[in-house]
Amino acid sequence: MTDAAQRPAPDQPTGRPAPDPIPLGSAPRPALGADLEARIRATLADEVGGQALGLDRAPITAELDGADITSAVIDLSGVVVRLPEAAGQPAQPTYPAQAGHAGRPGHSAQPASGDKRWRPEVVRREPGNLHHLRLDAHQLVAVDLPVDITAELTDLRFDWVEGADGRVGIQPVEPDADHPVSGHARVAVDKAGLVATVRGVAAVVLLQQGITLTALDLDVVSQGPRAATLRIDAAIKKGIFLSARVQATASVSLDENLVLAVRDVQLNSGNPIVAALLGTVRGKVEAATSRDIDLAEKLPDGVRIADVRLDVGAQLVASARLV
């Protein structure tokens, strides 16, 4: 590796700060694919902690060519991810290779703060390229919701970094116009399963406000390759005397320039008390949804999306292609 003093961290072309490095165990960097595979598995395990079941059996393959990673394939099929509380873990997020490495040779204890990301004093840096990355999950169960994922990316630049704490990791380098990233991604979820998951999460959130969710129906209707209408019909109860139904509708679209728009938001209830409460927030909702979100402007120059689709049927399928 090159001394960090001779090779500073790369500037981000948009002025955004460089991504945090991802720790991959003790220095030096891995020289064999089997070593890198083991380190990736350990990093994933540290990232999700006890929230994931089956991660120890997930197939991971990697090939190295000097500082370059010629191929990395991660298959998370069959992995089950639970909520932090359900897994008996702190709700506070952690970052890979932190608490479990304290006190080991080549590892230093992290500050007792809410931010546990690895931000080492970099003493050595070496450029690398991940030529091909593939992620599969057929299926991954996330909070009781089966999700089918396929993603492939090529030409991802990064730096191997070595910290003064004796650890090594990789720091992604943002793509730019001269170093674009290509690939594709597809995410599919069962619509009925999504409704059940939304119902469960909403019930927990509302219960914290003293409101009981007694029923919830969610329907998503396709209005074209990049548009859909959402309809929600919920029944709520608060205390002994207040019960009501609440209806909400909205139209969501994403145009060819990746501008996200939410329109025609309607909130209604047949209960006059609940309807009055909804009226107090209707103006804020309208103001928030009147502003379109330009997703393309948030992307680096080297990430160009040629096509994005939302297909709605028995499954909700989102797909995108990068060129």
Side-chain angles (χ1 to χ4, degrees), residues 22-162:
I22 302 171
L24 287 173
S26 300
R29 65 168 175 80
L32 299 175
D35 186 10
L36 178 58
E37 293 165 10
R39 294 181 187 224
I40 292 173
R41 188 185 304 279
T43 295
L44 289 174
D46 283 346
E47 173 72 12
V48 297
Q51 297 166 228
L53 301 176
L55 189 59
D56 57 327
R57 300 186 298 274
I60 298 174
T61 60
E63 298 179 5
L64 283 166
D65 182 12
D68 287 354
I69 303 173
T70 56
S71 174
V73 180
I74 302 173
D75 189 343
L76 300 179
S77 301
V79 172
V80 177
V81 181
R82 303 174 296 178
L83 288 172
E85 293 80 1
Q89 299 295 316
Q92 173 178 292
T94 59
Y95 204 70
Q98 298 292 331
H101 293 309
R104 297 185 194 175
H107 296 87
S108 59
Q110 298 299 310
S113 65
D115 188 353
K116 294 181 182 274
R117 288 174 289 183
W118 185 53
R119 290 171 173 165
E121 176 188 349
V122 177
V123 297
R124 289 184 179 85
R125 184 179 295 273
E126 183 177 7
N129 189 294
L130 174 51
H131 295 284
H132 178 250
L133 171 65
R134 181 177 178 92
L135 174 65
D136 285 304
H138 311 297
Q139 296 172 327
L140 169 76
V141 179
V143 195
D144 296 330
L145 177 64
V147 182
D148 192 277
I149 302 172
T150 299
E152 285 193 82
L153 296 173
T154 60
D155 296 325
L156 298 167
R157 293 187 301 155
F158 66 91
D159 281 347
W160 292 103
V161 294
E162 183 177 330

Side-chain angles (χ1 to χ4, degrees), residues 53-315:
L53 301 176
L55 189 59
D56 57 327
R57 300 186 298 274
I60 298 174
T61 60
E63 298 179 5
L64 283 166
D65 182 12
D68 287 354
I69 303 173
T70 56
S71 174
V73 180
I74 302 173
D75 189 343
L76 300 179
S77 301
V79 172
V80 177
V81 181
R82 303 174 296 178
L83 288 172
E85 293 80 1
Q89 299 295 316
Q92 173 178 292
T94 59
Y95 204 70
Q98 298 292 331
H101 293 309
R104 297 185 194 175
H107 296 87
S108 59
Q110 298 299 310
S113 65
D115 188 353
K116 294 181 182 274
R117 288 174 289 183
W118 185 53
R119 290 171 173 165
E121 176 188 349
V122 177
V123 297
R124 289 184 179 85
R125 184 179 295 273
E126 183 177 7
N129 189 294
L130 174 51
H131 295 284
H132 178 250
L133 171 65
R134 181 177 178 92
L135 174 65
D136 285 304
H138 311 297
Q139 296 172 327
L140 169 76
V141 179
V143 195
D144 296 330
L145 177 64
V147 182
D148 192 277
I149 302 172
T150 299
E152 285 193 82
L153 296 173
T154 60
D155 296 325
L156 298 167
R157 293 187 301 155
F158 66 91
D159 281 347
W160 292 103
V161 294
E162 183 177 330
D165 59 357
R167 279 189 284 176
V168 70
I170 60 174
Q171 183 174 26
V173 175
E174 185 174 282
D176 57 30
D178 295 327
H179 305 88
V181 172
S182 61
H184 61 88
R186 178 185 182 274
V187 179
V189 299
D190 180 75
K191 188 162 71 170
L194 178 62
V195 172
T197 298
V198 171
R199 184 185 298 118
V201 173
V204 172
V205 172
L206 291 173
L207 192 60
Q208 294 173 350
Q209 309 299 320
I211 300 173
T212 300
L213 179 68
T214 57
L216 185 143
D217 289 321
L218 168 66
D219 194 18
V220 183
V221 179
S222 176
Q223 301 295 333
R226 290 187 297 271
T229 299
L230 281 69
R231 298 187 179 92
I232 299 174
D233 185 2
I236 60 173
K237 181 178 180 181
K238 185 175 177 64
I240 300 176
F241 302 104
L242 180 60
S243 61
R245 299 196 72 87
V246 177
Q247 295 80 36
T249 59
S251 298
V252 181
S253 65
L254 184 67
D255 67 17
E256 63 276 7
N257 297 315
L258 293 186
V259 176
L260 177 66
V262 180
R263 294 288 185 270
D264 304 324
V265 178
Q266 302 290 330
L267 300 171
N268 300 290
S269 176
N271 184 296
I273 298 176
V274 175
L277 292 174
L278 293 175
T280 63
V281 302
R282 188 172 287 113
K284 295 180 180 179
V285 172
E286 291 175 351
T289 57
S290 66
R291 298 186 295 270
D292 294 344
I293 301 174
D294 189 345
L295 300 178
E297 72 174 5
K298 302 179 183 299
L299 297 175
D301 291 340
V303 178
R304 297 186 293 270
I305 298 181
D307 186 32
V308 60
R309 292 181 58 90
L310 175 64
D311 298 306
V312 180
Q315 287 188 321

